[in-house]
Amino acid sequence: MKTNRLFKNLIKYRNLAIALWLVSDILWVMNLHTAAIVTSVFMLLSAAHIAYQSRQKNIQLSYNVILCYWFAANTIWMWGEFSANSMLWLYAGILYFAGLTVAVANISFYSSKRKIKAAPKTKVMYRGIHINIDKAA
């Protein structure tokens, strides 16, 4: 019961981090530099805390690590535009690529781990011949 409550709270907490990301992007577009940076710092801290809290569940941890990469790349990109430092955009691209790599690895790992079960079959006798029929049909 406690794990289920913690999971629901993590989802709400993650939604808060995503809301902070949206607010940070809105402040970025409005050229409110200081407010955007402060919001993105809180966004990064909450995303890191969410990833730490979900460390027992691998699928949740990988999703939250992807969010951390995304938020960090977004913050670095924003900081690069504010400071007109084009080198920071390269670092943001590296973090975006790292998040994409974790996502692809996560999808390939969990899809290979999942086994597809065949539909159960029923033996039917028809004119002296045994026929296997799928129950799903």
Side-chain angles (χ1 to χ4, degrees):
M1 200 57 122
K2 183 179 178 186
T3 305
N4 196 12
R5 187 179 312 137
L6 177 67
F7 180 69
K8 286 181 183 178
N9 289 337
L10 278 178
I11 291 174
K12 289 179 184 177
Y13 194 25
R14 185 185 315 138
N15 289 341
L16 173 68
I18 292 171
L20 284 172
W21 169 61
L22 291 172
V23 169
S24 176
D25 274 4
I26 289 169
L27 293 171
W28 178 7
V29 169
M30 294 172 62
N31 283 326
L32 299 171
H33 301 269
T34 307
I37 293 296
V38 168
T39 307
S40 64
V41 167
F42 284 118
M43 171 190 65
L44 285 172
L45 290 174
S46 64
H49 187 252
I50 291 167
Y52 178 76
Q53 289 293 325
S54 65
R55 66 190 181 279
Q56 286 89 13
K57 295 191 181 265
N58 291 335
I59 188 79
Q60 290 295 320
L61 176 64
S62 58
Y63 178 74
N64 292 326
V65 167
I66 292 166
L67 279 180
C68 286
Y69 277 125
W70 181 269
F71 290 163
N74 193 8
T75 302
I76 290 173
W77 185 1
M78 178 175 52
W79 185 259
E81 281 194 12
F82 288 162
S83 65
N85 185 353
S86 61
M87 191 64 184
L88 289 178
W89 297 334
L90 174 67
Y91 297 131
I94 291 169
L95 287 175
Y96 281 128
F97 184 73
L100 182 65
T101 304
V102 171
V104 168
N106 186 24
I107 290 169
S108 64
F109 176 75
Y110 284 107
S111 64
S112 67
K113 207 173 173 183
R114 177 185 273 177
K115 294 180 181 177
I116 300 173
K117 294 181 180 179
K121 298 187 177 197
T122 305
K123 287 188 177 184
V124 177
M125 180 85 136
Y126 179 73
R127 295 187 182 183
I129 302 171
H130 291 284
I131 302 172
N132 290 329
I133 299 175
D134 292 336
K135 284 188 177 180

